[in-house]
Amino acid sequence: KAGVTQTPRYLIKTRGQQVTLSCSPISGHRSVSWYQQTPGQGLQFLFEYFSETQRNKGNFPGRFSGRQFSNSRSEMNVSTLELGDSALYLCASSPAGTSFNEQFFGPGTRLTVL
Amino acid sequence: AQRVTQPEKLLSVFKGAPVELKCNYSYSGSPELFWYVQYSRQRLQLLLRHISRESIKGFTADLNKGETSFHLKKPFAQEEDSAMYYCALSVSNSGGYQKVTFGTGTKLQVIP
């Protein structure tokens, strides 16, 4: 099976702009989670979607939002970008999103905010 | 709220020496614990999970509920073990849905 794919791989934006990142899960996986990875904080959970519904959410401001489509593909949007949003954004998919499921990660989108 | 602590940012060991990567967690319920690994220029991937009680690439991890720890161990380090290691805690919310909390990671450097 093809792995999790994320587009674009790299992105440069300026403060105040908005950005949309895309994630295509492994075929058959219905759960998609998003994480922000930074050197100091490690991986921080943003949110998880299953069957187009957000089931879990991390402690991020409302500027971070997402959605999932009927084909399980997911998008993440960040509005009013801040310098601190510069990070690697990882998407992970799993079959059903239960606690014992392994997560399969994409390569990430590197976002730089200038 | 759940939390995962990996106290060491960097752990350097010589080839052939034992390795122990520490992980402590805080969670009042029954946790599902994982170790993920990220080799240079590769994706983050699962190394092992406590529910499987398996040994992968010579690594083992035992869940100690009394000490709330899930340390990763290997008796003899190899150069190819050099990577970033993340401990992760997965819990289900009231709806039974998964939320994964990762530690900040430990970089393992195996010196030839």
Side-chain angles (χ1 to χ4, degrees), chain A residues 72-90:
Chain A
S72 293
R73 190 177 71 85
S74 178
E75 286 183 348
M76 189 192 95
N77 185 75
V78 188
S79 62
T80 321
L81 284 166
E82 300 177 359
L83 295 179
D85 297 333
S86 294
L88 182 67
Y89 290 87
L90 293 173

Side-chain angles (χ1 to χ4, degrees), chain B residues 61-75:
Chain B
D62 290 319
L63 175 61
N64 185 324
K65 290 188 177 181
E67 295 182 358
T68 58
S69 69
F70 188 55
H71 302 329
L72 183 68
K73 300 177 183 179
K74 184 170 182 176

Side-chain angles (χ1 to χ4, degrees), chain A residues 1-2 6 13 16 23 25 28 30-32 40 50 54 56 59-60 66 69 71 76 78 82 94 99 102 109:
Chain A
K1 287 184 179 178
Q6 291 187 247
K13 293 285 187 179
C23 170
R30 297 170 66 189
S31 170
V32 174
F50 183 90
Q54 186 183 90
N56 242 318
N59 299 323
F60 278 81
F69 302 95
N71 61 358
M76 189 192 95
V78 188
E82 300 177 359
S94 68
S99 63
E102 172 184 357
T109 294

Side-chain angles (χ1 to χ4, degrees), chain B residues 36-106:
Chain B
Y36 281 82
V37 61
Q38 188 168 30
Y39 300 102
S40 180
R41 298 190 187 88
Q42 293 189 28
R43 303 180 182 201
L44 193 61
Q45 59 186 288
L46 178 69
L47 179 62
L48 55 79
R49 64 189 107 184
H50 97 271
I51 196 172
S52 302
R53 295 184 174 274
E54 55 197 348
S55 173
I56 302 294
K57 298 185 179 182
F59 284 97
T60 59
D62 290 319
L63 175 61
N64 185 324
K65 290 188 177 181
E67 295 182 358
T68 58
S69 69
F70 188 55
H71 302 329
L72 183 68
K73 300 177 183 179
K74 184 170 182 176
F76 308 103
Q78 299 174 344
E79 289 179 63
E80 54 265 33
D81 296 329
S82 294
M84 195 74 179
Y85 291 80
Y86 292 93
C87 182
L89 167 67
S90 181
V91 301
S92 296
N93 66 6
S94 57
Y97 308 133
Q98 182 181 35
K99 178 178 179 179
V100 183
T101 302
F102 283 83
T104 50
T106 297

